[in-house]
Amino acid sequence: MQALAELAVEQQRWEEAQQLVADHPELAEAVCVPWAEWLVAKGNFHEARLAYRRAGRWQQSAHILQQLNENAVLQHQYALAASLHYQLAMEASNEEPSTSGRDNDDAGLTRHAELYQRAELYYAYDLMHKSSTCPFRTVFAATLLNAACYLLMHLPKEGSQSLVGVSRAVILRVCAQQAQQLQAFKLARWAYTQLQSLRVPSAWQDSVELMSVQLHGSPFTDAEDVLPTCYRCGSSNPLVNPQAAALLEEDPMPPAGAESSASMNTGGADVLQIEDSGDALDIDLDDPFQAQMLDISQPVVADEHMLKCLKQQVRHRCSRGFHAVSC
């Protein structure tokens, strides 16, 4: 069978070669690796990546994604770069299980979290790039402002960890423009001050100086309707808040954070059956989650009993020991 597989590969009769692999899985590496190389030469990168994965070549599969990601950033296709980073993050968490201990598994989870955050950053920066280069916009001003604030809060510092192709000047310019439009004058002043300390294109200099002068006659505060509000204590927070975690909130009700209890096995994949206990908007002091929410001085600690008592109308997602729930 080995000789027959080599003959099919040599003559590029890939359908027959794949049938041999289906009947004899031990021939996967001998067939799928040259098949993947042939697909790369033809420009079929997605199929080539799947072929490498079938052959157990996880590193070659990730290398294709990394090359595609670099090309997407160089061509200013930031939405595509975000999608490729997301695929890399999924591969980092779903790659072949490690047999060398928990440390490598933790390293894989750390890499997954880093790549996932980079995907969100590139997705947000795609909105900044289109807002600066397109003659018209297709998103609301509040969406652009939220994306700009998210980038300013989570963008890595200058150095080896900085995102390739991402300009802080572009982010600050979009942030200042949208903040001024939404009457967030304090944020607009801060953004223009930061922008004047950077090297900006000559085409921007006159408009940046003009908008800075126009802001002198504006209030020194942000409009209350644009300030994010803590739905637990009711206090307002600054727009550029390092504690904020959401990029573009799509839920009609904001999320509330909860830490996992130390007694829970966060490394497992146990599924908890949520018991229905009425309307999600009803206030029930016997509900352990609502009871802890009333005490704003302590963080909410979610144990197994609390998660089981969540209403069925309540959605929740878990990210390495941190739960965000929303009605």
Side-chain angles (χ1 to χ4, degrees):
M1 288 299 174
Q2 181 71 24
L4 188 59
E6 293 176 357
L7 179 61
V9 169
E10 182 179 355
Q11 297 182 357
Q12 297 184 354
R13 302 171 66 173
W14 302 115
E15 293 184 1
E16 297 180 7
Q18 292 302 314
Q19 186 61 41
L20 287 174
V21 173
D23 297 336
H24 303 278
E26 65 275 6
L27 299 176
E29 185 173 0
V31 171
C32 292
V33 172
W35 182 41
E37 295 173 352
W38 181 82
L39 290 171
V40 169
K42 296 295 182 180
N44 298 329
F45 299 106
H46 179 66
E47 296 182 5
R49 198 167 56 84
L50 296 179
Y52 275 127
R53 290 171 63 88
R54 189 175 181 183
R57 301 291 184 89
W58 300 85
Q59 293 183 352
Q60 284 85 340
S61 175
H63 181 66
I64 290 178
L65 278 180
Q66 291 174 355
Q67 287 185 322
L68 293 175
N69 175 53
E70 294 175 0
N71 294 336
V73 172
L74 291 176
Q75 297 174 7
H76 304 295
Q77 299 180 9
Y78 299 106
L80 177 59
S83 175
L84 293 173
H85 269 92
Y86 176 79
Q87 295 181 43
L88 281 171
M90 294 301 104
E91 285 201 359
S93 60
N94 297 327
E95 65 183 1
E96 190 175 13
S98 174
T99 58
S100 56
R102 183 179 177 83
D103 292 340
N104 286 347
D105 296 337
D106 292 341
L109 291 175
T110 302
R111 177 167 173 76
H112 165 79
E114 177 185 352
L115 291 171
Y116 190 86
Q117 185 181 25
R118 284 175 173 262
E120 290 188 333
L121 292 174
Y122 273 120
Y123 178 79
Y125 188 74
D126 181 67
L127 299 177
M128 306 292 101
H129 177 72
K130 291 179 179 178
S131 177
S132 299
T133 57
C134 294
F136 56 88
R137 70 183 186 197
T138 58
V139 295
F140 295 109
T143 302
L144 290 174
L145 182 62
N146 289 339
C149 292
Y150 177 84
L151 285 167
L152 292 172
M153 289 184 289
H154 295 86
L155 203 63
K157 297 181 180 180
E158 297 294 334
S160 60
Q161 298 298 326
S162 60
L163 289 183
V164 179
V166 174
S167 172
R168 185 176 178 86
V170 172
I171 301 171
L172 288 169
R173 182 170 181 257
V174 174
C175 178
Q177 291 175 341
Q178 306 310 317
Q180 188 170 7
Q181 180 178 346
L182 296 173
Q183 298 183 356
F185 300 114
K186 182 179 179 180
L187 176 63
R189 280 192 176 88
W190 174 84
Y192 278 124
T193 301
Q194 295 291 321
L195 190 60
Q196 290 175 347
S197 64
L198 301 177
R199 181 180 298 177
V200 299
S202 57
W204 293 7
Q205 292 180 357
D206 292 339
S207 62
V208 169
E209 293 177 358
L210 177 61
M211 299 305 293
S212 299
V213 172
Q214 291 179 350
L215 279 173
H216 290 170
S218 303
F220 286 86
T221 58
D222 297 328
E224 294 184 0
D225 56 344
V226 299
L227 291 176
T229 303
C230 176
Y231 286 82
R232 188 179 180 189
C233 65
S235 61
S236 298
N237 296 305
L239 287 167
V240 180
N241 179 11
Q243 299 300 325
L247 168 57
L248 300 175
E249 184 57 54
E250 299 176 354
D251 298 327
M253 293 291 287
E259 299 177 356
S260 298
S261 173
S263 61
M264 292 188 60
N265 180 17
T266 57
D270 298 335
V271 177
L272 300 179
Q273 182 65 35
I274 297 179
E275 303 171 358
D276 190 10
S277 55
D279 190 354
L281 298 180
D282 292 340
I283 297 179
D284 183 9
L285 296 181
D286 294 332
D287 187 312
F289 178 76
Q290 296 187 21
Q292 290 196 44
M293 284 287 290
L294 294 177
D295 185 6
I296 63 175
S297 63
Q298 299 293 333
V300 178
V301 179
D303 54 12
E304 184 175 344
H305 174 66
M306 177 187 295
L307 294 179
K308 285 184 176 181
C309 293
L310 288 177
K311 311 295 189 301
Q312 288 188 354
Q313 300 95 326
V314 175
R315 288 174 289 170
H316 59 95
R317 64 181 184 267
C318 177
S319 175
R320 301 193 66 184
F322 179 85
H323 297 268
V325 297
S326 59
C327 300

